[in-house]
Amino acid sequence: MVGIVADGVVKVLLGAAFVIGATRLGDLLGVPAWLMIASGVALLIGGGIEIRYVRSRPMRTYTRLMIAYDSGWVLTALAGLLMAWRGSSAGGEVWMGYQTAAPIAFAALLVAATSIRTTSDARAKDSAH
């Protein structure tokens, strides 16, 4: 559970850094400030929801979502690096685009996941009959 909270806190801190330093970080990554802000807001939302649901969602759900999120992050970072190595200026946009879409998808899937309480309640009802 500590790892899940830490992951959410990292997303929140990264999101805050993206919003606060949008212009400067955007210049370094070659992306517009609006994309940095959108990504920062997405990370703030995703990280906040991740922390909020930590006690009400199964660990297995979190683990699967975190593996998918981190795998996508690695692949997108590699794609961005490859693009930059080949001289394209779009590598930063690809990476920041992922940082904008993935936290929202993660949060939506987490909210839609079956809660621990609902599963426990269903089992209790089944055993009563």
Side-chain angles (χ1 to χ4, degrees):
M1 185 173 358
V2 173
I4 294 168
V5 173
D7 190 72
V9 168
V10 167
K11 284 182 179 110
V12 168
L13 292 175
L14 189 59
F18 284 2
V19 170
I20 293 166
T23 302
R24 184 173 178 124
L25 290 172
D27 289 344
L28 289 171
L29 293 171
V31 300
W34 68 263
L35 183 55
M36 294 299 300
I37 292 169
S39 180
V41 169
L43 283 162
L44 286 167
I45 291 168
I49 288 174
E50 187 173 353
I51 294 166
R52 182 180 185 283
Y53 283 90
V54 73
R55 293 189 187 267
S56 64
R57 296 299 184 260
M59 184 67 72
R60 184 175 184 172
T61 298
Y62 268 101
T63 302
R64 288 180 176 178
L65 289 173
M66 289 169 69
I67 288 169
Y69 182 95
D70 291 344
S71 297
W73 188 92
V74 169
L75 292 173
T76 306
L78 290 173
L81 287 171
L82 180 62
M83 293 172 81
W85 180 63
R86 291 189 167 188
S88 172
S89 61
E93 290 175 351
V94 168
W95 192 68
M96 291 311 299
Y98 181 81
Q99 294 300 322
T100 305
I104 298 301
F106 183 99
L109 291 169
L110 189 59
V111 169
T114 304
S115 74
I116 293 172
R117 289 183 204 121
T118 302
T119 304
S120 300
D121 293 343
R123 285 187 191 141
K125 285 181 183 179
D126 287 342
S127 63
H129 290 120

